Amino acid sequence: MKKLALSDEILMSIDKPERYIGCEINEIIKDPKDVKIRFAMCFPDIYEIGMSNLAMQILYDMFNKREDVYCERVFSPWLDLHKILKENDIPLFSLEMQEPIKDFDFLGITLQYEMAYTNIIQVLDLAGIPVFSKDRKNDDTIVIAGGPCTYNPEPIADFFDIVYIGEGEKSYDKIFDLYNECRENGFDRDGFLKKAAHIDGIYVPSLYDVEYDTDGMIKGMVPLYPDVPSVIKRVIVEDVTDAPYPEKPIVPFMQITQDRVVLEVMRGCIRGCRFCQAGMIYRPTRQKDVETLKKQASIQLKNTGQDEISLSSLSTSDYESLPQLIDFLVEDIKDKGINISLPSLRIDAFSLDVMSKVQDVKKSSLTFAPEAGSQRMRDVINKGLTEENILNGARMAFEGGWNKVKLYFMLGLPGEERSDIEAIPHLANEIAVCYYDAVPKEKRQGKCQIGISTSFFVPKPFTPFQWMSMHKPDDYLEKAKIVNDTMKAELNRKSLKYNWHQADETVLEGVLARGDRRLSALLFEVYKNGGIFDSWTESFSFQRWLDAFDACDIDMGFYIYRERETDEILPWDFIDIGVSKRFLVREYENAKKGVVTPNCREKCSGCGALSFNTGVCV
């Protein structure tokens, strides 16, 4: 029996102590003395969120398949334990062996959303690892960043030794092999990092210098050594069918956010929505073979005992073998009481036949994302949906037996007018009308429930909207008020329910999404003054951020309240994701004209992803 890092007294005094003890089903245990490399895999949020992350499960399984590597997990301790660890000088520890993270060779932190950036500093601070990479000594843990936020790594560049650009299955073996080689020859941290910079997809921030003009714009980014690459090209898995995938994912003892078996059916998206970063940075679309998916589904359900399976992708209904996969799942699990979850569906592509088969197992609510209420705005963002598509899809859903629909929209999109905002509740009302038209009164199970949810638009790197300005918090809230007031006047208002995102948090997300290295000081200032878990309402303080901007003499408006010129040097311009800037500029201009670009299966638009020579491109 392993010795826990926390005493019984501490565990009994904190919320949800099961977050910190490990010992779950399918946890991997090795003797640290039998391995050469110890890797701490970190998600900088609470256990329930981190354990729902598919990438962590994949890399945890993949790393531990190497005999010379032991990968363990660590998550951000919640506010109560954070305080106890600080007050009692208890170092942050791994779940598996309950040993200090500072004793590991690597700490890999996956970055899924910008508002978790202060938790990076929390993890480093609690672990006893110097927060800034420049302060780390030869034997200190090497800190690596991965995940979608690394496509603009500059705001957090000063905290990381290595930033991994691309899909994790591709280059980690090369990193581990290089590390072993360097250890055998007398380890030198700087020498290792310089060599690592030559591995595909690897960015070492300390090997580059950023120059600024007097107006605050970036003048250039210069490698400090002639052999250091000036451009970092994203790495991808060419064949996702044969990519590593866990047969025995860890099964938590407690309820987590995504408490189910997750079956990744494809990577990338054919659609090209202009606001969507994932749709650009995960190009090209690559599908898994359906026979492989059938095997993975059966094995994972057997090895976990879960009662739900979710098909994961950016647009599941675009998976070409979806009907065959659904047929198999329904036939295979129909007598086992297992629910099939189909997120990321496009309402125009959803099949009544597929819906009916899934409903036979267990009925659940459906989620659709029109993103904009008016046809004009849907054309601006290249959503590729007409109102007829949406209403026909809704009617099919209601005829299939559903009466609960969640609709996701964005407010503050480029070129948005009041009529576009009012169109959101108008569209929701029309969907409710579809229900009452499609379902005879005697077959209805009460009123339909149409949930309207709006987030506020944040321009992200490597999207056609990366040059756009943002609105101020009060402006966003005024837009939400228009939706709410308009909804209350709709005929079917009793069937509609509306909620919206925080505006203060949105503008900060915008700052961090497109910021530069000067923001590392800002993040450290926020953390010093108590800023952690900023994506959580109960711990978020907008005033704390405003105070930090003042203390660091940083103008928030510089990063969000101005429209950039397309020839401005952006903080992430040194990264090549395979999608060309020329294509993004063209899409930016098409957005202004409301011109729709066809999806990748209809016609190639020359985005540049063909250079990967895989997936839908070939």
Side-chain angles (χ1 to χ4, degrees):
M1 181 69 180
K2 67 184 178 186
K3 186 179 187 305
L4 296 179
L6 302 176
S7 67
D8 290 349
E9 182 182 7
I10 291 175
L11 289 170
M12 293 296 289
S13 70
I14 58 177
D15 184 41
K16 299 181 181 178
E18 60 268 42
R19 290 169 171 162
Y20 311 109
I21 60 175
C23 301
E24 309 101 317
I25 296 169
N26 296 333
E27 174 191 77
I28 295 173
I29 297 296
K30 295 184 179 182
D31 187 337
K33 295 192 294 293
D34 295 336
V35 299
K36 295 180 178 179
I37 295 172
R38 294 188 72 180
F39 192 104
M41 179 76 68
C42 174
F43 194 99
D45 208 323
I46 58 171
Y47 176 92
E48 297 95 303
I49 305 295
M51 281 303 297
S52 301
N53 181 257
L54 177 59
M56 275 199 72
Q57 291 268 18
I58 291 173
L59 294 180
Y60 178 83
D61 180 76
M62 172 185 150
F63 291 0
N64 279 314
K65 279 187 165 63
R66 285 186 58 132
E67 291 185 0
D68 59 345
V69 175
Y70 187 17
C71 180
E72 303 177 48
R73 294 162 296 143
V74 60
F75 303 96
S76 286
W78 186 241
L79 302 170
D80 52 359
L81 184 58
H82 173 93
K83 184 171 183 290
I84 290 172
L85 295 181
K86 291 287 285 184
E87 290 177 348
N88 294 276
D89 200 25
I90 300 172
L92 189 62
F93 52 89
S94 66
L95 265 61
E96 278 74 6
M97 299 307 294
Q98 301 278 299
E99 294 182 352
I101 300 301
K102 65 182 178 182
D103 295 337
F104 283 60
D105 299 285
F106 291 93
L107 170 62
I109 304 178
T110 183
L111 305 178
Q112 293 290 319
Y113 38 86
E114 291 84 358
M115 295 310 293
Y117 283 179
T118 49
N119 280 41
I120 298 169
I121 306 174
Q122 178 210 26
V123 168
L124 294 171
D125 182 30
L126 292 178
I129 299 170
V131 168
F132 292 96
S133 61
K134 64 182 176 60
D135 297 326
R136 293 178 197 140
K137 308 302 183 197
N138 199 56
D139 293 333
D140 282 326
T141 304
I142 293 169
V143 186
I144 304 180
C149 287
T150 60
Y151 289 92
N152 177 22
E154 291 306 278
I156 43 86
D158 287 347
F159 308 131
F160 288 95
D161 301 303
I162 290 173
V163 178
Y164 188 114
I165 311 291
E167 295 172 356
E169 300 97 330
K170 191 71 176 179
S171 292
Y172 264 112
D173 281 334
K174 295 178 183 177
I175 295 174
F176 295 150
D177 291 344
L178 174 64
Y179 184 76
N180 283 333
E181 178 188 318
C182 290
R183 287 283 294 269
E184 290 171 2
N185 297 315
F187 186 75
D188 172 67
R189 184 187 193 88
D190 292 338
F192 167 75
L193 292 177
K194 287 175 185 175
K195 290 179 180 178
H198 294 276
I199 296 175
D200 294 340
I202 299 305
Y203 168 52
V204 179
S206 63
L207 301 182
Y208 299 80
D209 183 46
V210 183
E211 299 175 351
Y212 300 93
D213 273 325
T214 54
D215 58 4
M217 306 288 190
I218 294 175
K219 186 176 181 181
M221 184 169 177
V222 184
L224 297 178
Y225 302 91
D227 62 332
V228 172
S230 58
V231 173
I232 311 296
K233 181 154 187 175
R234 159 184 167 244
V235 291
I236 71 165
V237 176
E238 290 85 1
D239 185 355
V240 293
T241 295
D242 291 333
Y245 206 74
E247 293 186 349
K248 294 183 177 181
I250 296 172
V251 182
F253 288 133
M254 65 183 297
Q255 187 78 33
I256 62 173
T257 308
Q258 304 291 335
D259 202 3
R260 58 183 70 104
V261 163
V262 178
L263 198 63
E264 184 186 36
V265 300
M266 65 181 188
R267 290 189 187 175
C269 181
I270 62 172
R271 297 292 169 175
C273 298
R274 292 174 180 134
F275 61 85
C276 181
Q277 185 186 49
M280 298 295 166
I281 64 174
Y282 294 133
R283 289 189 175 206
T285 302
R286 292 147 288 154
Q287 299 186 118
K288 278 191 180 180
D289 174 69
V290 69
E291 295 304 318
T292 297
L293 290 172
K294 291 176 183 179
K295 293 174 186 175
Q296 290 178 347
S298 298
I299 291 171
Q300 287 201 343
L301 287 168
K302 177 183 176 182
N303 289 334
T304 61
Q306 295 279 18
D307 62 0
E308 184 171 353
I309 185 166
S310 175
L311 305 186
S312 173
S313 76
L314 294 176
S315 183
T316 302
S317 52
D318 287 324
Y319 177 60
E320 291 180 307
S321 299
L322 183 61
Q324 300 97 296
L325 182 57
I326 292 294
D327 285 345
F328 167 79
L329 291 175
V330 171
E331 183 63 30
D332 189 58
I333 67 179
K334 65 181 180 181
D335 297 325
K336 301 175 184 176
I338 294 174
N339 184 36
I340 302 171
S341 173
L342 298 171
S344 306
L345 294 171
R346 286 179 62 88
I347 201 165
D348 63 331
F350 199 75
S351 160
L352 178 60
D353 180 51
V354 171
M355 291 167 59
S356 299
K357 290 173 182 175
V358 174
Q359 183 188 355
D360 287 341
V361 178
K362 183 181 175 184
K363 190 185 298 183
S364 60
S365 63
L366 293 174
T367 301
F368 297 118
E371 307 295 359
S374 70
Q375 189 59 50
R376 188 186 78 83
M377 282 308 305
R378 286 193 293 275
D379 290 346
V380 167
I381 66 176
N382 204 46
K383 187 63 183 177
L385 279 177
T386 66
E387 185 164 325
E388 182 181 7
N389 294 150
I390 295 168
L391 296 180
N392 284 343
R395 183 173 290 105
M396 290 168 60
F398 295 139
E399 289 174 348
W402 273 263
N403 68 344
K404 297 178 184 177
V405 175
K406 298 176 184 176
L407 301 170
Y408 286 97
F409 298 92
M410 279 187 292
L411 290 172
L413 286 163
E416 180 183 72
E417 299 173 0
R418 185 184 180 97
S419 59
D420 301 311
I421 300 171
E422 293 171 340
I424 290 174
H426 292 336
L427 180 60
N429 182 72
E430 288 303 309
I431 291 174
V433 170
C434 279
Y435 173 77
Y436 296 113
D437 285 347
V439 183
K441 192 170 184 179
E442 63 274 11
K443 292 186 179 181
R444 297 174 195 163
Q445 297 180 353
K447 292 183 173 66
C448 67
Q449 299 176 40
I450 311 296
I452 307 169
S453 180
T454 61
S455 60
F456 299 119
F457 166 69
V458 177
K460 292 295 180 83
F462 295 110
T463 68
F465 291 155
Q466 66 181 358
W467 295 280
M468 298 301 299
S469 62
M470 290 181 66
H471 298 278
K472 295 183 177 179
D474 289 347
D475 295 333
Y476 281 126
L477 294 178
E478 180 57 34
K479 293 173 184 291
K481 185 177 185 301
I482 293 171
V483 174
N484 200 41
D485 290 347
T486 306
M487 182 191 72
K488 291 176 180 178
E490 296 293 344
L491 180 64
N492 293 290
R493 57 188 173 275
K494 291 184 178 179
S495 294
L496 310 180
K497 185 178 180 180
Y498 176 47
N499 64 78
W500 58 91
H501 196 62
Q502 283 193 42
D504 293 345
E505 188 179 311
T506 295
V507 297
L508 291 176
E509 181 184 337
V511 170
L512 298 175
R514 296 187 294 170
D516 52 45
R517 283 199 194 186
R518 291 171 289 192
L519 296 187
S520 292
L522 172 79
L523 288 162
F524 189 59
E525 182 70 20
V526 172
Y527 175 74
K528 284 194 304 181
N529 289 288
I532 51 175
F533 291 102
D534 285 297
S535 59
W536 293 78
T537 303
E538 54 264 58
S539 57
F540 175 72
S541 166
F542 190 49
Q543 187 58 52
R544 181 161 49 219
W545 283 84
L546 294 178
D547 292 344
F549 277 108
D550 289 341
C552 297
D553 195 25
I554 293 175
D555 176 17
M556 183 169 68
F558 174 81
Y559 294 100
I560 48 177
Y561 299 142
R562 65 183 181 89
E563 186 167 345
R564 291 147 173 76
E565 298 296 329
T566 54
D567 61 354
E568 178 179 334
I569 297 175
L570 303 173
W572 53 91
D573 274 349
F574 69 95
I575 298 173
D576 176 8
I577 66 163
V579 175
S580 70
K581 180 176 268 193
R582 183 174 63 254
F583 169 76
L584 295 178
V585 171
R586 188 166 73 239
E587 283 296 279
Y588 181 46
E589 296 301 326
N590 284 341
K592 293 177 180 179
K593 301 171 188 173
V595 175
V596 174
T597 300
N599 74 60
C600 297
R601 286 195 186 127
E602 291 177 352
K603 180 183 178 183
C604 177
S605 298
C607 74
L610 178 61
S611 63
F612 289 111
N613 196 35
T614 187
V616 69
C617 295
V618 295

